[in-house]
Amino acid sequence: MTATDPAKPAPLPLDPAIAPPGTRNFRDAGGIPADRWHADQNGETLVPTHCCFCGVQCGMYLRVDNAGKVFGVEPRNHDINRMRLCPKGINAYQQVNHPDRLTSPLMRRSRYEEFKEASWDEALDFTVSEIRRIQAAHGNDAFGLLGGASLYSEKTYLVGKFGRVALKTRHVDYNGRLCMVSAAGANKLAFGIDRAANPFSDILLTDCLLIAGSNVGECFPVMTQYVWGARDRGATLIVIDPRETAIARTADVHVPVKPGTDSAFFNAVLHVIVEEGLTDEAYLAAHTTGWDEVKKTVQAYPPARSAEICGIPASQIVQVARMFAGADKAMAFHARGIEHHSQGVENCLSVINMCVATGNLGKPGAGYGTITGQGNGQGGREHGQKADLLPGGRSIMNEEHRRQICRIWGIDEADLPPAGTSMMEMVWQMQRQEIRGLIGICNNPFVSLPNYGAVKQGYDTLDFHAQFDFFLSETAANAHVVFPVTVWAEDEGVMANTEARVVKHNKAQEPPAGVRTDTWVMCELARRLGVGDKFDFAGSREVFEELRIASAGTVNDYYGITYERLEATGGIAWPCPSTEHPGTPRLFEDGRTYHPDGKIHMQVVEWHPPMDAYTEEFPLSLTTGRTVAHFLSGNQTRRLGALVEQTPRPWVEVHPSHGFRDGDPVRVVTRRGSEVFPALVTEAIRPDTVFIPYHWPVPTAANALTIDALDPRSKIPEYKVCAARIEAAERVDEVPAPPTAPGRQAYPETQVSRTDPLPPTSSQGRGTAERS
Amino acid sequence: MMGRTIFIDPGRCIGCQACVSACRECDSHRGKSMIHLDYTDPGQSVASLPTVCMHCEDPVAPCAEVCPADAILVTADGVVQQADTTRCIGCANCVNACPFGVPKIDLQAKLQMKCNLCYDRTAYGLAPMCATVCPTGALFYGTLEELQAERPGVQVADSFAFGDVVVSTGVAMVVPADKVQWPVPGGLPVVEVNGVDVR
């Protein structure tokens, strides 16, 4: 029977004998260390920091023993996650002292040699001599630099500066190009600012939540608490996704659109909203430009037409329109599902048009947001790591912006290179030998870029390739020089999460002997290239001071954010122009955008089919995505035993109508290649669509099959749809073990991924909870 | 039902296994997870369900009742503890007796292990590690009032019928508000739901 709960029980007496070692004070204080950092009784320290993985940036404590080594994790009652963590966050600490860590530079003069451990001087000197040789023979732009959005903002700032000032090359880009640049492009076109409009807490206040192309449950698990909080208040939930994901399973409406048809769907929704008179005309008249053209365009998308394009019932379009426009306050969130397309920017704009037309903006519980995939996907491009951006989100094409930055950097305007090309375009330039040397910093394009064949060919054509990483990634294993750098817990720095809230990560342990910070390596390379005076930074704190000044007065204003304020507040959303400014968690509250005229510039969106044409030979859509246990290219998570055990290998999700049984070897063929995966037969996917998670390298890499078509504006690859066929095969392809440094044995706990040919046991591909 | 306990809400479970990882990380049996995560209808649905120890109250926890070595102790506040290492003989009687399939045996160590509701944490007012981290609230730790304050109208059950035997538990399960009297599909008839005899 249930339970009527008696009055609140008296607190149990505290018995020191049963307290776990070292955490007494922490626990006594109800989850926050009584004296903040030191919950020390037996030498244990709790260091407040954030997870290194996705854009939610959950707060956590790292447990540090009395020898100064990270050995565990403790949930932290931070605003963002309120103690919650996902399996990646719980296991993240295990990579800090992982046996696969690189602890010495690796070097070889050609790809035909084996790696040998080298001294830092040797590796740095060789790299500098190669940079000089290539640039002297082929020009400065023959050397490229690719950064990463898992780096702290200080380091991404330094990547941009290092590329332009030390390498003097135009070819600087970053792996956030594969993440949310479509959303960024759309937001900038419509609002003049590149970030989500609302904090997570606004989700709790909404009446209707629309989630498009985002497997929130697996990719951003901790965000589901906000979704459920809204549901508890009675909010309706709409999910647009070709797969019935865990969050779609419980939605009021799940619209299983065919991959690559999102803007046709949203145009039809707006068509119905207009037809039924559900637009907010007063808001449109006061705050927008371009509405008449948008209204005219969506007339061409009646529900019947879009229903046919999207492969769904027309009634669902009407239902979504009424539900979204009829709600008092509605919010729309999207992620890579609608952004990873050759029309990614247009897809995002079609969602923005829907929000704006219904006046859902600038209020608690009403707005839009893009959910960042990488931890610093948001902050990673704000300070000059992207090909076309300078610090503070300034445009590299804008004369005034160039002048400002040259003044701050102390260089001649003529020496600042023009805009470069995007990450995938740089690979094509490598194939053509226009780029002959490359430094990659904490990225793994061999797994993360589409069309692996082209990527491998491009990297193999390079005369010289250096990588920074803390594990030997598949890409680093192909390099000439590998610099062993710190993991997130060995340095301090800031990241901007999905809400554009800047949070501070703290240093929990000293790096192992032989390992340096990325900051140190870049500054040392710059010194040897003769520009050491521009890179005289002792650490992140000094870089951040320069970053603050470089961003002052721009839209991406960090000037008012200091390390001390971040530690005291738990995070500040930019823009924050002065040290007294509280930050800007919610945009457009005064109805003004960041365009000079203060208006929302609505953009016309026309749907066009995906770039890879369906034919009789390739009739199905292949789409890709993540699984909850792994992160991006898997270089980190494929080495953590618990996560490998949870999801040891990729699979292909197919509908039962294709006649396969669970575990059958299925060959997936596209115009780029073919690979064999075990089948996971499920009704949770459209019959005309197959799905493969993308965290593994060849021969089990979804990205050996995906197409390298790009969105013309954002240059994001079309990962989420290409034409494919499936056929029966003999045996599944085996997952290779992650590469390790020469002389090291692969970590045994990760070997399960090599030997387990079994398909996953559930529709979401998760393994059994315990293998025993 | 004890005052402050775990409530399991399968409707919110996303199958992420954060609870499984968290259980592995907590101090009382570090390195081993005591949580079962089941996929209830693979092939048709992505539904999943975590099972922690239900901390049976009535009759006295079956695992403790059948233990020949008196190794499984029940505390005054109703927490069924994992086996006392000085007493456990690894006979696995508890594994056979548990109607929820919870205890695990380490055959080499001849030791039973199970969820002890993170006694090391709850004794100090903290939630168990699994319920602390659960991203969706599928595992909630608190009182029924606290649960209902967060989720208005929520219905819970803390008695389960196994044939003629009804087991009341210290841990409760959230059940759909309109389906509180549904028998378990393919299962045994429901005898009592929320204090009402439904025979």
Side-chain angles (χ1 to χ4, degrees):
Chain A
M1 75 22 270
T2 293
T4 45
D5 183 44
K8 208 170 175 182
L12 292 162
L14 298 176
D15 177 1
I18 59 170
T23 51
R24 256 303 292 283
N25 294 345
F26 165 67
R27 290 179 165 82
D28 289 356
I32 299 172
D35 60 351
R36 277 177 59 82
W37 286 44
H38 298 283
D40 190 344
Q41 185 164 277
N42 297 323
E44 179 179 334
T45 307
L46 293 169
V47 176
T49 189
H50 292 260
C51 178
C52 56
F53 295 124
C54 83
V56 180
Q57 288 293 290
C58 297
M60 57 165 63
Y61 292 104
L62 288 173
R63 298 174 70 176
V64 182
D65 67 15
N66 55 11
K69 290 283 182 200
V70 170
F71 75 101
V73 65
E74 186 68 46
R76 176 180 170 200
N77 194 12
H78 190 274
D79 273 5
I80 297 172
N81 58 314
R82 304 169 196 177
M83 313 281 277
R84 277 99 197 258
L85 291 170
C86 82
K88 290 189 285 290
I90 294 164
N91 290 293
Y93 78 88
Q94 293 167 13
Q95 57 176 297
V96 181
N97 293 305
H98 195 284
D100 284 1
R101 280 289 299 277
L102 298 174
T103 50
S104 163
L106 301 177
M107 205 176 109
R108 58 182 169 188
R109 304 240 163 214
S110 90
R111 287 199 187 80
Y112 303 105
E113 295 171 22
E114 292 290 307
F115 273 128
K116 286 204 180 65
E117 292 196 350
S119 70
W120 274 96
D121 271 335
E122 275 177 282
L124 290 163
D125 285 342
F126 179 50
T127 304
V128 168
S129 70
E130 286 295 290
I131 294 169
R132 288 227 164 99
R133 181 182 64 78
I134 289 170
Q135 292 192 325
H138 306 284
N140 288 348
D141 292 342
F143 209 92
L145 180 64
L146 283 175
S150 298
L151 294 165
Y152 293 147
S153 292
E154 293 85 348
K155 295 177 180 176
T156 67
Y157 170 83
L158 215 51
V159 170
K161 185 174 177 182
F162 177 74
R164 274 91 181 217
V165 177
L167 294 177
K168 300 185 174 63
T169 177
R170 66 192 293 182
H171 292 305
V172 181
D173 207 39
Y174 78 128
N175 67 4
R177 182 71 71 176
L178 321 176
C179 182
M180 54 178 290
V181 285
S182 287
N187 294 340
K188 215 136 184 213
L189 278 170
F191 305 110
I193 188 169
D194 154 21
R195 55 158 276 198
N198 303 65
F200 282 143
S201 54
D202 270 8
I203 299 173
L204 297 169
L205 307 172
T206 193
D207 299 313
C208 176
L209 182 63
L210 182 145
I211 297 173
S214 180
N215 181 1
V216 174
E218 292 207 69
C219 305
F220 317 100
V222 172
M223 205 182 140
T224 45
Q225 64 174 313
Y226 291 97
V227 178
W228 282 114
R231 299 281 272 155
D232 288 334
R233 278 188 51 259
T236 50
L237 175 64
I238 304 166
V239 175
I240 322 291
D241 200 311
R243 302 162 72 211
E244 190 198 85
T245 59
I247 205 82
R249 180 174 78 87
T250 49
D252 294 279
V253 191
H254 167 219
V255 189
V257 294
K258 188 171 179 176
T261 64
D262 306 283
S263 48
F265 173 78
F266 286 108
N267 273 358
V269 169
L270 190 51
H271 174 101
V272 176
I273 289 172
V274 172
E275 288 286 298
E276 304 203 349
L278 299 171
T279 51
D280 186 342
E281 291 297 335
Y283 185 85
L284 286 162
H287 299 294
T288 66
T289 64
W291 169 233
D292 289 338
E293 291 78 15
V294 171
K295 193 153 82 173
K296 208 179 293 166
T297 317
V298 298
Q299 278 175 5
Y301 293 86
R305 178 185 171 213
S306 285
E308 197 173 321
I309 295 171
C310 304
I312 52 164
S315 58
Q316 277 199 324
I317 294 173
V318 180
Q319 194 183 4
V320 170
R322 288 177 185 161
M323 217 177 233
F324 190 85
D328 194 24
K329 294 169 300 213
M331 284 183 97
F333 277 86
H334 49 78
R336 309 303 86 72
I338 74 163
E339 295 162 17
H340 274 162
H341 287 282
S342 57
Q343 50 197 328
V345 175
E346 286 156 317
N347 287 343
C348 300
L349 285 169
S350 66
V351 175
I352 289 171
N353 285 346
M354 180 184 71
C355 292
V356 174
T358 50
N360 280 305
L361 215 61
K363 295 179 286 194
Y368 70 89
T370 174
I371 317 171
T372 319
Q374 286 198 77
N376 205 18
Q378 174 69 46
R381 68 177 172 281
E382 289 166 0
H383 301 290
Q385 195 185 195
K386 190 162 170 262
D388 56 349
L389 290 184
L390 289 171
R394 292 179 176 90
S395 167
I396 202 163
M397 283 82 80
N398 181 308
E399 284 303 318
E400 175 56 26
H401 291 177
R402 290 171 65 88
R403 239 191 318 276
Q404 290 167 354
I405 284 302
C406 287
R407 205 169 50 235
I408 293 164
W409 283 351
I411 60 169
D412 202 47
E413 274 175 57
D415 291 340
L416 185 65
T421 51
S422 74
M423 195 164 173
M424 192 66 218
E425 288 170 311
M426 280 171 70
V427 170
W428 298 334
Q429 286 175 296
M430 293 176 208
Q431 285 180 310
R432 298 195 297 264
Q433 292 203 303
E434 290 166 23
I435 293 177
R436 288 166 177 264
L438 183 83
I439 295 178
I441 303 181
C442 299
N443 54 38
N444 190 9
F446 275 38
V447 180
S448 60
L449 274 175
N451 193 0
Y452 168 78
V455 177
K456 174 89 165 76
Q457 202 189 14
Y459 273 80
D460 279 350
T461 313
L462 287 172
D463 294 348
F464 174 78
H465 172 205
Q467 273 301 120
F468 292 27
D469 218 322
F470 46 84
F471 292 133
L472 193 68
S473 70
E474 283 75 12
T475 309
N478 194 57
H480 294 91
V481 175
V482 184
F483 294 111
V485 288
T486 44
V487 297
W488 97 110
E490 292 162 356
D491 200 0
E492 62 179 347
V494 304
M495 291 210 193
N497 82 341
T498 297
E499 312 160 286
R501 180 205 297 251
V502 181
V503 295
K504 179 162 182 279
H505 291 238
N506 293 311
K507 181 172 171 174
Q509 77 166 39
E510 287 299 327
V515 170
R516 307 278 195 271
T517 64
D518 315 70
T519 307
W520 185 90
V521 185
M522 277 189 274
C523 292
E524 190 59 28
L525 281 171
R527 195 176 67 75
R528 287 164 196 247
L529 285 164
V531 286
D533 58 319
K534 308 279 190 296
F535 292 85
D536 189 17
F537 300 109
S540 296
R541 204 170 274 268
E542 289 181 13
V543 182
F544 189 71
E545 288 307 310
E546 186 174 307
L547 182 156
R548 281 178 62 209
I549 293 163
S551 73
T554 65
V555 173
N556 300 53
D557 200 331
Y558 274 48
Y559 185 74
I561 302 176
T562 63
Y563 276 8
E564 291 70 28
R565 285 190 78 195
L566 292 177
E567 279 166 9
T569 57
I572 297 172
W574 63 265
C576 179
S578 73
T579 46
E580 288 75 44
H581 193 283
T584 316
R586 188 181 301 111
L587 298 178
F588 321 128
E589 285 188 287
D590 56 0
R592 286 187 63 80
T593 69
Y594 290 76
H595 284 304
D597 62 0
K599 302 267 187 176
I600 301 162
H601 295 187
M602 295 182 80
Q603 309 283 327
V604 167
V605 173
E606 290 279 7
W607 174 79
H608 60 79
M611 298 306 275
D612 215 14
Y614 302 113
T615 56
E616 264 182 42
E617 198 186 349
F618 298 106
L620 302 176
S621 297
L622 166 64
T623 191
T624 65
R626 293 199 213 175
T627 178
V628 69
H630 292 292
F631 183 66
L632 304 187
S633 79
N635 184 37
Q636 301 172 69
T637 53
R638 279 187 281 112
R639 296 174 196 268
L640 305 183
L643 299 177
V644 174
E645 196 173 84
Q646 186 171 338
T647 309
R649 61 161 302 122
W651 62 92
V652 57
E653 250 169 72
V654 295
H655 192 266
S657 59
H658 296 288
F660 290 105
R661 287 174 311 167
D662 262 342
D664 282 353
V666 173
R667 179 177 299 280
V668 183
V669 189
T670 70
R671 295 187 174 96
R672 267 76 48 205
S674 78
E675 285 178 347
V676 183
F677 302 88
L680 195 157
V681 180
T682 175
E683 290 179 356
I685 193 164
R686 291 175 59 91
D688 59 7
T689 302
V690 294
F691 168 88
I692 305 170
Y694 68 73
H695 311 283
W696 289 267
V698 284
T700 49
N703 283 328
L705 310 174
T706 48
I707 184 171
D708 49 351
L710 305 181
D711 180 292
R713 284 189 277 202
S714 67
K715 307 292 170 72
I716 205 169
E718 186 152 64
Y719 288 105
K720 288 294 183 279
V721 55
C722 68
R725 71 165 183 271
I726 53 175
E727 51 198 45
E730 290 294 307
R731 58 192 295 273
V732 299
D733 286 332
E734 197 176 78
V735 179
T740 48
R744 300 272 191 92
Q745 287 297 312
Y747 188 47
E749 282 191 43
T750 61
Q751 294 309 295
V752 61
S753 62
R754 272 162 53 77
T755 55
D756 189 351
L758 296 174
T761 56
S762 84
S763 302
Q764 297 267 299
R766 300 170 290 242
T768 52
E770 282 292 284
R771 230 152 233 283
S772 51
Chain B
M1 190 191 298
M2 66 190 84
R4 194 170 280 269
T5 188
I6 288 182
F7 295 86
I8 304 173
D9 186 347
R12 294 185 181 225
C13 182
I14 53 173
C16 72
Q17 298 200 26
C19 53
V20 176
S21 275
C23 188
R24 202 183 277 124
E25 291 299 325
C26 73
D27 284 310
S28 52
H29 33 247
R30 195 141 187 230
K32 295 258 184 196
S33 179
M34 296 296 121
I35 291 182
H36 300 261
L37 194 93
D38 298 309
Y39 299 95
T40 53
D41 204 5
Q44 274 76 50
S45 168
V46 294
S48 50
L49 160 70
T51 305
V52 297
C53 174
M54 301 298 285
H55 297 282
C56 302
E57 289 180 335
D58 181 25
V60 171
C63 57
E65 209 168 17
V66 300
C67 179
D70 269 351
I72 302 173
L73 307 175
V74 182
T75 62
D77 51 349
V79 175
V80 182
Q81 295 285 356
Q82 65 180 5
D84 181 335
T85 51
T86 61
R87 293 184 176 198
C88 179
I89 55 172
C91 70
N93 266 9
C94 50
V95 174
N96 297 323
C98 175
F100 300 99
V102 167
K104 296 181 177 188
I105 290 282
D106 181 336
L107 287 173
Q108 277 188 322
K110 290 200 172 164
L111 178 67
Q112 176 255 31
M113 284 179 291
K114 63 176 277 297
C115 154
N116 61 358
L117 207 72
C118 278
Y119 208 60
D120 54 326
R121 302 173 73 85
T122 51
Y124 286 95
L126 265 187
M129 193 80 155
C130 58
T132 304
V133 302
C134 177
T136 65
L139 292 173
F140 175 92
Y141 181 75
T143 63
L144 185 62
E145 283 73 23
E146 286 165 352
L147 178 74
Q148 284 171 335
E150 264 194 30
R151 305 176 197 174
V154 73
Q155 299 267 8
V156 305
D158 65 353
S159 60
F160 301 83
F162 298 91
D164 291 339
V165 180
V166 177
V167 179
S168 296
T169 56
V171 165
M173 182 83 85
V174 172
V175 289
D178 57 336
K179 294 185 175 111
V180 283
Q181 296 191 358
W182 272 31
V184 179
L188 297 157
V190 173
V191 179
E192 184 187 80
V193 173
N194 288 355
V196 180
D197 190 330
V198 296
R199 275 175 287 194

